[in-house]
Amino acid sequence: MIVRIMGEGQVKLDDAHFTELNKLDDELLEEMESGDVEGFRRTLGALLDAVRRMGTPLPDDALEPSELILPSPDATLGEVREMLSDDGLIPG
């Protein structure tokens, strides 16, 4: 799957990694619902770091359609809330 981190670029991510990413996504949702801004910041950073670590960066000039778009590391709680689906940021 091709994943875009807003403001950073794209990575190719194997579907096998989505179990780990979904755990972080669930934690992020809980923190957002409870208004835990400090926890939200920490978990958003951990989620994006995991995508960077597990993914293979695509060249900057690659024009692949992104199947998943994640917020930038400095996104606000409100901005991330607007990006959420019923499943959170990560489907599944």
Side-chain angles (χ1 to χ4, degrees):
M1 175 181 282
I2 305 297
V3 179
R4 173 175 296 282
I5 298 175
M6 293 176 68
E8 291 187 23
Q10 295 176 301
V11 297
K12 184 172 182 133
L13 194 62
D14 189 273
D15 290 347
H17 298 298
F18 280 88
T19 300
E20 180 179 341
L21 295 177
N22 273 317
K23 289 177 186 175
L24 289 167
D25 190 39
D26 290 344
E27 187 176 328
L28 187 69
L29 276 173
E30 289 175 21
E31 291 160 348
M32 290 179 68
E33 288 172 2
S34 70
D36 180 358
V37 177
E38 187 176 310
F40 161 78
R41 282 265 142 248
R42 181 185 64 248
T43 304
L44 177 60
L47 175 67
L48 298 177
D49 286 345
V51 169
R52 292 181 198 108
R53 184 181 75 250
M54 294 184 282
T56 303
L58 295 180
D60 289 338
D61 61 349
L63 297 173
E64 299 289 328
S66 300
E67 298 168 81
L68 178 62
I69 299 174
L70 296 176
S72 65
D74 61 348
T76 66
L77 198 132
E79 290 169 336
V80 174
R81 189 170 279 129
E82 290 178 12
M83 297 178 73
L84 294 177
S85 69
D86 290 340
D87 287 339
L89 290 172
I90 310 282

